[in-house]
């Protein structure tokens, strides 16, 4: 089973690495990082590069597609090479998934029409522009489409899908080996829980606006 | 403030990316991925490569050192180039940190002598061999040494240290932006919580033994 994780300039690293480290432990699977051009692809901070080992053109029939998000998602919304690849890969995929604003790319490709989906909390409403029905859940499964909320939620998505495909015990084994027993030092991980002034600050900051 | 994240062959990706995505959002900081040789460094699965942008020799005075773990930690225990670099960097660092079995590398460099520390649950006892006092906590701070438990705990460590350096609000802002509101689909993230037969299986499996 081939898992293709899509990279593009200024993606958010954890969006991609969360599913890689969990779902990517699926027995008998092979994970491949793909991008329009092969080679190192820089994240949103510019301080990290992950290698795309194959081009989109080289990976034509992945079983599972994972699309991360990040500030670099916006310019990709008009990238027909990527959107065409997503549409084509989706015709044969078993699961088509996203983390964070990656769901907007699936939506822009027309794949979430009429489906329940999620995204980063700052981007959630934009799903409506593409006929998707946004929900505030952390991991949303609708048919073969699995979307996750912001950044770190890809870990929960990866474990959820791993359990669905390989069984609860396999997912529990990966949770144990990655020691995923979260103990955040604060309880500010969602707009419902964080201090209201922080939520408002980011909603008002154009650097965080999503289109 | 410079944050140096150390890479070596067969490290575990999330060990490095968790702190990068949290602590690396420290205002005014620059994160640099370093390794003995610059270039792409492969993770334990072989399916992911992160670029080391600088060599160890090029980064001589980092303010914060982050050492990930992974199966590749074992051969590094005798790598005097790396151990010497850790010792030298530690003489000027403000914080010296690790995730997972990265703490064994700090310990092998002699930096955790007489200190409380943690590691991946499968490796915890080995800390004693280097004069450190293992604890089962997820994030352990002893002086300027901050060690985290297995793999995903680097996210909690990163937020904890970010709060300590930049204040609670900054850490809460990063938690909100990374939407770190964990909802694991299982409760199997520690040896105390996971099914006992899984814990025993991994303890008995030589592929998971750590030295």
């Amino acid at each position: 089973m081939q898992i293709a994780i899509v990279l593009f300039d200024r993606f958010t690293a954890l969006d991609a690495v969360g599913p890689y480290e969990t779902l990517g432990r699926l027995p008998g699977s092979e994970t491949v990082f793909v991008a329009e051009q092969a080679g190192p692809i820089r994240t949103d901070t510019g301080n990290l590069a992950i290698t795309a080992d194959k081009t989109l053109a080289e990976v034509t029939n992945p079983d599972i597609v994972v699309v991360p998000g990040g500030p670099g998602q916006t310019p990709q919304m008009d990238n027909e090479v990527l959107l065409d690849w997503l549409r084509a890969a989706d015709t044969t995929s078993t699961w088509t998934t996203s983390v964070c604003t990656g769901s907007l790319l699936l939506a822009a490709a027309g794949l979430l029409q009429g489906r329940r989906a999620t995204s980063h909390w700052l981007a959630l409403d934009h799903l409506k522009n593409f006929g998707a029905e946004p929900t505030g859940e952390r991991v949303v499964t609708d048919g073969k489409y699995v979307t996750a909320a912001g950044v770190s939620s890809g870990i929960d998505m990866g474990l959820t899908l791993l359990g669905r495909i390989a069984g609860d015990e396999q997912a529990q084994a990966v949770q144990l080996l990655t020691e995923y027993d979260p103990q955040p030092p604060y309880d500010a991980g969602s707009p419902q829980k964080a201090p209201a002034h922080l939520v408002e600050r980011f909603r008002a900051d154009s650097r965080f606006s999503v289109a």
Side-chain angles (χ1 to χ4, degrees), chain A:
Chain A
M1 190 171 263
Q2 189 185 48
I3 303 168
I5 303 181
V6 178
L7 301 179
F8 47 82
D9 190 43
R10 296 196 300 127
F11 72 103
T12 295
L14 186 53
D15 291 16
V17 170
Y20 155 83
E21 202 70 90
T22 49
L23 181 59
R25 304 284 174 172
L26 179 68
S29 73
E30 173 222 14
T31 297
V32 58
F33 285 86
V34 295
E36 204 170 334
Q37 268 103 42
I41 311 290
R42 289 270 153 196
T43 62
D44 47 8
T45 65
N47 294 329
L48 194 165
I50 291 181
T51 303
D53 286 311
K54 296 212 170 161
T55 64
L56 294 175
E58 289 173 317
V59 176
T60 52
N61 294 297
D63 298 287
I64 304 178
V65 175
V66 179
V67 184
Q73 155 267 330
T74 305
Q76 298 300 324
M77 295 292 275
D78 302 317
N79 180 353
E80 288 298 329
V81 174
L82 176 60
L83 299 182
D84 281 344
W85 183 86
L86 290 174
R87 287 182 202 109
D90 183 65
T91 61
T92 55
S93 71
T94 314
W95 299 94
T96 296
T97 78
S98 66
V99 179
C100 199
T101 53
S103 60
L104 294 182
L105 291 169
L106 295 183
L111 303 178
L112 298 181
Q113 190 77 35
R115 296 195 179 272
R116 296 172 68 252
T118 193
S119 192
H120 192 282
W121 63 272
L122 279 166
L124 205 51
D125 280 350
H126 291 271
L127 284 169
K128 291 182 198 161
N129 302 339
F130 304 95
E133 182 192 332
T135 96
E137 293 158 80
R138 190 161 172 84
V139 177
V140 175
T141 303
D142 186 339
K144 73 172 190 179
Y145 301 91
V146 189
T147 55
V151 192
S152 61
S153 63
I155 300 173
D156 296 331
M157 190 272 279
L159 287 174
T160 300
L161 189 49
L162 180 60
R164 179 85 178 259
I165 298 171
D168 293 343
E169 186 173 282
Q170 186 64 40
Q172 288 170 321
V174 169
Q175 185 180 7
L176 176 59
L177 286 175
T178 56
E179 214 161 335
Y180 186 48
D181 180 28
Q183 295 170 29
Y186 306 93
D187 190 19
S190 77
Q192 291 75 35
K193 296 176 176 177
H197 71 280
L198 288 179
V199 175
E200 291 315 308
R201 183 194 303 168
F202 293 124
R203 284 201 197 277
D205 188 333
S206 62
R207 288 172 300 167
F208 295 99
S209 75
V210 173

